[in-house]
Amino acid sequence: MFDFETREPIAPLQQGASTEAPRFQRVRVSILGRYMLADRREFPCQIIEMSPGDAIVVAPTAGKIGERVIAYLDHLGRVEGTVKEIVDGGFVVDLTASARKREQLAAQLTYLANKDILNLPEDRRHERLVPDNRHSSILLDDGRRYDCKIIDISLSGAAIEIAVRPALGTPVTLGRMRARIVRHFDNGVGVEFSSVQEMLTVIQQSLRLN
């Protein structure tokens, strides 16, 4: 996997000091999301440079060096790590991830960095459609249930119009589908399903209220 501009490999250096995170080549991106600090406060953020090992985060509150950070980012989903450095307007986060997760991030970041240059279509893991029956409900683990309306849906997730906005990462049940909240927007939330369904009709049927 190569960085588009430098053609340098986005890969860890040879194994040396095991106490240090591998070094990777950062690419310029513009990724929006939200992050949560150790005290569970949530803030919006923007990633302006990122590699599979770290990221520069534009953020209103930086936290402390070494503080754990969990973020939910557009296109990339959930990432976590620790604050490595405080910079003007934000911080650098040292990402915690398995080797497989870092490989996935390398592929996703290369795509995002090249998308505008190569005029590639918007990243969608699965085609999004408007279901025949848009009315459904969301059930929280504590038993609270809220009526909602499906804006669009795919095999991996859905955008939902709803009056409440549970915290990012909150597990929910949409109709009969287990999911979690991965995005907030003006009139609702985005959810990611716990398992990808083989047929969109199965999802549509599961969303119908009995």
Side-chain angles (χ1 to χ4, degrees):
M1 195 65 61
F2 291 87
D3 169 51
F4 184 83
E5 294 183 358
T6 66
R7 307 303 296 174
E8 295 180 6
I10 303 178
L13 299 177
Q14 292 182 348
Q15 292 183 355
S18 60
T19 56
E20 266 188 37
R23 293 195 178 105
F24 299 85
Q25 177 69 37
R26 287 183 193 151
V27 293
R28 294 185 183 91
V29 292
S30 179
I31 303 172
L32 300 178
R34 293 184 67 84
Y35 68 100
M36 182 174 67
L37 296 174
D39 60 7
R40 305 190 71 81
R41 289 182 298 160
E42 291 185 14
F43 303 95
C45 66
Q46 180 182 9
I47 309 300
I48 57 173
E49 288 189 21
M50 189 172 184
S51 79
D54 62 6
I56 299 178
V57 186
V58 176
T61 301
K64 300 176 182 179
I65 299 294
E67 184 172 358
R68 187 183 182 212
V69 177
I70 299 174
Y72 290 89
L73 305 176
D74 289 354
H75 308 289
L76 301 181
R78 184 183 190 274
V79 297
E80 62 179 281
T82 55
V83 177
K84 179 169 67 173
E85 180 183 355
I86 307 301
V87 297
D88 186 25
F91 59 94
V92 179
V93 60
D94 193 13
L95 298 176
T96 302
S98 65
R100 182 177 180 182
K101 176 66 173 178
R102 292 187 195 279
E103 289 177 2
Q104 292 173 344
L105 282 173
Q108 291 170 307
L109 289 170
T110 299
Y111 173 86
L112 291 174
N114 297 343
K115 179 169 66 69
D116 292 336
I117 297 173
L118 300 178
N119 196 29
L120 296 175
E122 186 67 19
D123 180 30
R124 293 285 193 184
R125 284 180 297 169
H126 301 100
E127 182 182 2
R128 287 179 176 261
L129 301 172
V130 178
D132 296 333
N133 184 1
R134 297 181 60 200
H135 295 282
S136 188
S137 70
I138 274 187
L139 176 67
L140 303 186
D141 284 353
D142 63 8
R144 287 178 293 167
R145 184 184 293 274
Y146 300 95
D147 292 335
C148 65
K149 183 180 291 186
I150 308 301
I151 298 172
D152 58 42
I153 191 169
S154 77
L155 296 180
S156 56
I160 304 158
E161 184 178 326
I162 191 170
V164 299
R165 295 199 298 174
L168 295 177
T170 299
V172 298
T173 301
L174 174 62
R176 299 190 185 96
M177 295 292 298
R178 290 295 296 167
R180 62 187 177 91
I181 306 295
V182 294
R183 185 185 302 182
H184 290 163
F185 47 88
D186 287 344
N187 61 335
V189 299
V191 302
E192 182 178 68
F193 296 132
S194 299
S195 60
V196 175
Q197 299 301 297
E198 294 183 359
M199 299 175 62
L200 187 56
T201 53
V202 174
I203 295 178
Q204 291 175 325
Q205 289 171 1
S206 74
L207 292 170
R208 294 190 174 95
L209 291 175
N210 294 330

